[in-house]
Amino acid sequence: MSGNAARVKAIQQIVNREPMTPKSPARLEDIWAENVFNLSKMQASLPKSVFKSIQKTIVTGEKLDPAVADAVATAMRDWAMAKGALYYAHVFYPMTNLTAEKHDGFISVQGDGNVISEFSGKVLVQGEPDGSSFPNGGIRDTFEARGYTGWDVTSPAYIMETDNGSTLCIPTVFVSWTGEALDKKVPLLRSIAAMDKAARKVLKLLGNTDVAHVNSSCGAEQEYFLIDANFASLRPDLLLAGRTLFGKAPAKGQEFDDHYFGAIPERVQVFMQDVEETLYKLGIPAKTRHNEVAPGQFEIAPFFEAANVASDHQQLIMTVLRHTAKKHGFMCLLHEKPFAGINGSGKHVNWSVGNATQGNLLDPGDSPHDNIQFLVFCGAVIRGVHKYGPLMRAAIATASNDHRLGANEAPPAIMSVYLGTQLEEVFEQIKTGTVSESKRKGVMDLGVDVLPTLTKDAGDRNRTSPFAFTGNRFEFRAVGSSQSVSGPLIVLNTMLADSLEWMGNRLETELTQGTDLNTAIITILKEVMEAHGVVVFGGNGYSAEWHEMAVNERGLANLPTTADALPVLKAEYIEDLFQKTGVLTPVELESRFEVYAEQYILSIEVEAKLVINMAKTLIYPAAVEYLSKLSSTLTSLADLGVSLDKASAETVASLTNSMMAEVGKLSTALEKHDFDSTEAKMVYCATTLRSLMDSIRSYGDALEGEIADSFWPLPSYQEMLFVK
Ligand code: ADP
Ligand code: MG
């Protein structure tokens, strides 16, 4: 079947498809957390003393008492088997942004040849997947391939239902046999602990006597595209790279903004309901769904949760979106830029810190005490973003997110903080020492007056900022749609831990010198603003003036590509930060650099090979076939005395030749292997390889505009984005 016939068939199938009928929605109360072995299920199935012990572990994050592990394991197995699970899996989160799982059966063969189901505390608590196939950045030599997974008791076990059966899934950490973190969960837990310690010290210095464990929270908004699976299967680029490597922009794109405000297409709504039902059963509080800016683009956002659980749940959301899409005949694209010229996808990470005694510490609150506490934490964030902005950039550096950042649709690759007009003014006044003059604004004596009511900025008020205060949290908007949120959360918690540690020490010094609390706080916040206030920016982050001003006047780093950003992980001040907070050892940090750099290089090399393949095996043959048809038609017409202009044929011929010349160059470029360093290889990918790929694409896309549609082998942007 020629490429074009396959396209036509795909469209016919889509148009004639039987609509999936929506299931009548289940009552939320009936299905909520049905597939989660949560506290209430433990309480119902465990002896009281065992339950008390595990409950304490969950709240405090302490080590699990081995004596209770067996009882918990048995109860968990009975629950899972009653729900049809015959296998369990230790689920872990390697450095690749993916979710990994190793499945084992409950089955145990006995001496007499019979089998029993077995699941001991030991296997619940610790697993031993062959770690050698997961990237470790050189931490382990290949002869020592063992890696350990260990149950993260703070994240509940759950059952994953698929058409092929149910599996009991146990969220775990993944470490090397020498104890180094090989995953994204270990450092996340450590970053929360570091932030907790520093935050509690500050809270006590601020006069609070009862101070509970401080945790960080996260609510992540996930953007994604849905396209029909019939089209996806005809696009090798979507199948292998998750984005289109060729494709001419359609005559109609997103310029009418009609998708964002439009009703959710029926077929998509049925899909969303199916996703939500699965998520509710998994105890994931899906809350918001809507169309996004681009045609075919949507968003799902859960209610926020504790960062560690939110991160595990976010991974599950991505898995459920992908699986459910397949069931509904869609392909779910989580890539940051599946379609050139059309808005890409991000994952806004809403982040805050708080505890049971003082509440949300990034909420201004309404008493003077709350206000001043808020300013301290907010000041700590400002200091953190200024000191560690390049690290924040590194935490969102992937080959796919590079297509989005700074491309006038997503925040720039320069890290700054947006506070909103009023809050920016408050900090400006603290800095200039004019606090006392603005009494009418209510910020004079922070110990007595309250802040003016801050208007809660709707999330989209300033879309151009990578990191915006939105009333009671910060929204990290530059995070990529396919990323794990752990990396960004680790950086945010760690830099806050560092700032709070510094503030705690400064505060202690001031107080022992006899300075009163409010004066001490204002003095310290003034210092913060003087040293770090340049990172606060409320203007248009997309503008050329900002790029100029940020770098030349404010000294902020602009790191446009991953090749520019990742080497930050090797900087001494970053190594110090992670070491002193106990979040990553130098060896762990270095291994992260190696793994991320390798991922970057690999994904560009794979795409480059695909570009060559598609140009040679799909586009070139289509062009030649069309030309040959065209020339024979022109000849027969000439025989009849009809002469047509040959310009179109000449254009096709010339574009084809130019494209193939560039393909030759890219093939040669891919053969270069002698690089002085990983950094040099990354730069080569970011510059030489990417620009050749772009150039080939531009010829390919021009050909799509010249060749008769009936000869074109690939589903077009128009078809993929608009045919539902
Ligand atoms: P918007 O589109 O205005 O950004 P959404 O409702 O789409 O808002 O998403 C906001 C996200 O922020 C939700 O996931 C919400 O639960 C989360 N959020 C709200 N408060 C907090 C908080 N204190 N900490 C972390 N996330 C929060
Ligand atoms: Mg939003």
Side-chain angles (χ1 to χ4, degrees):
M1 182 160 43
S2 84
N4 177 252
R7 262 174 69 201
V8 172
K9 191 166 166 222
I11 296 174
Q12 281 165 350
Q13 278 177 351
I14 296 163
V15 173
N16 295 329
R17 98 173 31 248
E18 285 290 319
M20 291 266 279
T21 38
K23 283 184 276 184
S24 52
R27 253 170 48 94
L28 184 56
E29 295 82 346
D30 293 341
I31 57 168
W32 175 251
E34 177 185 295
N35 288 342
V36 190
F37 195 62
N38 56 11
L39 274 177
S40 70
K41 293 203 186 70
M42 290 189 196
Q43 188 164 27
S45 59
L46 291 170
K48 215 173 192 155
S49 61
V50 175
F51 175 70
K52 280 246 157 77
S53 167
I54 186 115
Q55 189 183 29
K56 184 160 165 258
T57 313
I58 292 170
V59 174
T60 59
E62 280 168 26
K63 259 203 150 45
L64 183 67
D65 177 355
V68 308
D70 272 325
V72 177
T74 306
M76 198 187 276
R77 180 206 61 194
D78 291 348
W79 170 78
M81 291 189 75
K83 292 184 78 64
L86 290 177
Y87 277 76
Y88 68 93
H90 273 201
V91 173
F92 54 102
Y93 311 92
M95 291 182 243
T96 51
N97 286 317
L98 299 175
T99 307
E101 43 194 64
K102 178 180 179 241
H103 292 221
D104 282 294
F106 291 125
I107 185 169
S108 170
V109 181
Q110 304 298 291
D112 60 7
N114 287 325
V115 295
I116 58 163
S117 58
E118 196 173 65
F119 186 55
S120 67
K122 202 167 140 251
V123 293
L124 162 65
V125 172
Q126 183 173 309
E128 206 176 306
D130 173 10
S132 60
S133 36
F134 294 97
N136 60 71
I139 283 186
R140 287 163 307 159
D141 294 326
T142 34
F143 61 81
E144 186 40 271
R146 254 180 314 161
Y148 290 109
T149 50
W151 184 26
D152 168 17
V153 186
T154 58
S155 186
Y158 57 90
I159 284 184
M160 195 65 181
E161 286 174 323
T162 68
D163 289 343
N164 307 320
S166 298
T167 308
L168 169 66
C169 295
I170 300 153
T172 62
V173 296
F174 181 41
V175 294
S176 73
W177 74 286
T178 42
E180 281 103 357
L182 294 173
D183 71 351
K184 292 193 177 254
K185 189 187 262 293
V186 172
L188 177 58
L189 293 169
R190 290 181 189 156
S191 74
I192 295 167
M195 186 277 300
D196 168 43
K197 184 164 161 257
R200 270 189 291 159
K201 174 170 170 180
V202 168
L203 286 172
K204 286 194 178 136
L205 288 167
L206 292 177
N208 300 291
T209 41
D210 189 12
V211 177
H213 168 73
V214 180
N215 205 338
S216 96
S217 57
C218 164
E221 304 161 53
Q222 173 77 56
E223 294 178 341
Y224 60 93
F225 279 84
L226 284 180
I227 63 160
D228 195 278
N230 283 310
F231 291 138
S233 61
L234 298 174
R235 301 255 353 182
D237 44 4
L238 284 181
L239 293 179
L240 294 184
R243 75 170 177 117
T244 54
L245 297 168
F246 291 94
K248 192 175 156 302
K252 177 184 165 178
Q254 62 201 46
E255 42 289 273
F256 296 104
D257 272 342
D258 47 356
H259 187 67
Y260 194 61
F261 299 108
I264 298 173
E266 201 176 325
R267 189 178 161 204
V268 174
Q269 175 122 4
V270 176
F271 156 82
M272 284 176 168
Q273 279 164 11
D274 202 0
V275 167
E276 286 149 14
E277 182 166 323
T278 307
L279 294 179
Y280 291 149
K281 286 184 183 172
L282 289 166
I284 300 174
K287 174 91 178 126
T288 307
R289 59 156 106 113
H290 56 79
N291 288 353
E292 262 303 327
V293 179
Q297 191 187 28
F298 307 92
E299 177 180 304
I300 180 169
F303 197 71
F304 71 95
E305 299 179 281
N308 177 41
V309 174
S311 175
D312 290 359
H313 281 174
Q314 220 294 308
Q315 295 293 115
L316 265 173
I317 289 174
M318 292 196 282
T319 305
V320 170
L321 283 173
R322 285 197 181 105
H323 282 180
T324 314
K326 264 191 204 152
K327 222 165 82 184
H328 289 250
F330 283 124
M331 185 185 200
C332 176
L333 303 175
L334 296 173
H335 193 284
E336 283 74 1
K337 194 75 179 171
F339 303 98
I342 304 278
N343 252 38
S345 300
K347 181 142 55 198
H348 294 177
V349 171
N350 293 272
W351 164 81
S352 188
V353 293
N355 66 3
T357 40
Q358 278 71 44
N360 181 352
L361 296 162
L362 289 172
D363 190 326
D366 33 39
S367 72
H369 177 79
D370 284 350
N371 279 181
I372 200 129
Q373 200 157 271
F374 161 71
L375 289 177
V376 166
F377 277 82
C378 199
V381 173
I382 294 171
R383 177 184 179 275
V385 180
H386 185 237
K387 280 199 81 170
Y388 302 112
L391 178 61
M392 288 171 69
R393 170 64 185 97
I396 51 167
T398 60
S400 48
N401 207 20
D402 280 1
H403 290 286
R404 202 182 137 250
L405 294 180
N408 260 8
E409 59 165 273
I414 304 166
M415 291 301 135
S416 64
V417 184
Y418 172 77
L419 292 178
T421 335
Q422 281 170 303
L423 190 57
E424 187 172 333
E425 213 174 287
V426 171
F427 274 103
E428 203 47 45
Q429 285 165 356
I430 291 173
K431 180 174 152 194
T432 52
T434 52
V435 174
S436 56
E437 284 156 27
S438 53
K439 188 175 169 77
R440 61 194 164 74
K441 284 196 172 141
V443 283
M444 179 197 134
D445 180 353
L446 286 159
V448 183
D449 293 341
V450 292
L451 285 172
T453 318
L454 301 172
T455 40
K456 303 222 176 202
D457 271 288
D460 290 332
R461 196 69 64 76
N462 187 330
R463 276 169 179 278
T464 67
S465 174
F467 195 66
F469 180 69
T470 54
N472 61 0
R473 61 187 186 267
F474 280 91
E475 186 168 351
F476 193 2
R477 300 204 177 108
V479 180
S481 51
S482 66
Q483 262 193 277
S484 152
V485 295
S486 286
L489 288 170
I490 291 165
V491 167
L492 296 178
N493 290 330
T494 306
M495 72 188 203
L496 183 60
D498 176 69
S499 278
L500 289 173
E501 170 80 18
W502 176 84
M503 281 196 165
N505 291 340
R506 278 291 290 113
L507 209 49
E508 220 163 27
T509 312
E510 288 288 337
L511 295 179
T512 43
Q513 284 167 1
T515 319
D516 77 274
L517 184 62
N518 283 330
T519 312
I521 290 168
I522 295 296
T523 308
I524 294 168
L525 287 177
K526 188 167 163 20
E527 281 172 26
V528 167
M529 285 308 288
E530 277 164 355
H532 307 289
V534 290
V535 82
V536 176
F537 177 64
N540 178 6
Y542 294 173
S543 68
E545 298 84 70
W546 168 237
H547 283 75
E548 165 74 23
M549 185 209 299
V551 177
N552 297 331
E553 289 170 32
R554 302 200 186 190
L556 304 179
N558 181 10
L559 304 168
T561 73
T562 297
D564 304 303
L566 275 186
V568 170
L569 298 184
K570 291 190 137 181
E572 209 173 296
Y573 77 106
I574 297 300
E575 189 180 305
D576 287 349
L577 169 74
F578 282 121
Q579 195 165 23
K580 74 184 173 200
T581 47
V583 174
L584 289 171
T585 66
V587 172
E588 289 170 333
L589 182 61
E590 168 148 18
S591 84
R592 258 147 237 264
F593 168 79
E594 292 298 337
V595 170
Y596 300 152
E598 188 183 45
Q599 297 268 308
Y600 174 72
I601 291 165
L602 274 179
S603 50
I604 293 189
E605 283 177 348
V606 165
E607 286 189 350
K609 287 180 198 156
L610 258 171
V611 164
I612 294 172
N613 258 334
M614 290 175 72
K616 279 187 173 171
T617 65
L618 290 166
I619 299 177
Y620 180 78
V624 172
E625 214 182 324
Y626 175 60
L627 276 179
S628 115
K629 170 81 183 159
L630 201 56
S631 79
S632 65
T633 310
L634 289 177
T635 315
S636 356
L637 285 175
D639 291 347
L640 294 173
V642 180
S643 107
L644 281 185
D645 188 16
K646 297 194 187 77
S648 166
E650 277 156 15
T651 307
V652 172
S654 133
L655 288 170
T656 307
N657 284 333
S658 303
M659 180 180 79
M660 293 314 284
E662 295 292 281
V663 165
K665 284 189 211 159
L666 182 56
S667 305
T668 313
L670 273 172
E671 275 159 27
K672 180 173 164 62
H673 294 299
D674 52 327
F675 293 96
D676 290 341
S677 62
T678 310
E679 284 89 330
K681 190 160 186 192
M682 279 198 288
V683 171
Y684 184 74
C685 289
T687 52
T688 309
L689 296 189
R690 274 241 155 119
S691 65
L692 281 168
M693 288 162 66
D694 286 346
S695 157
I696 296 171
R697 178 187 184 133
S698 67
Y699 291 118
D701 292 356
L703 282 167
E704 189 179 345
E706 293 292 333
I707 293 177
D709 189 62
S710 56
F711 283 78
W712 194 251
L714 295 163
S716 68
Y717 270 29
Q718 188 169 308
E719 289 158 354
M720 289 187 284
L721 293 168
F722 292 99
V723 180
K724 286 258 158 7

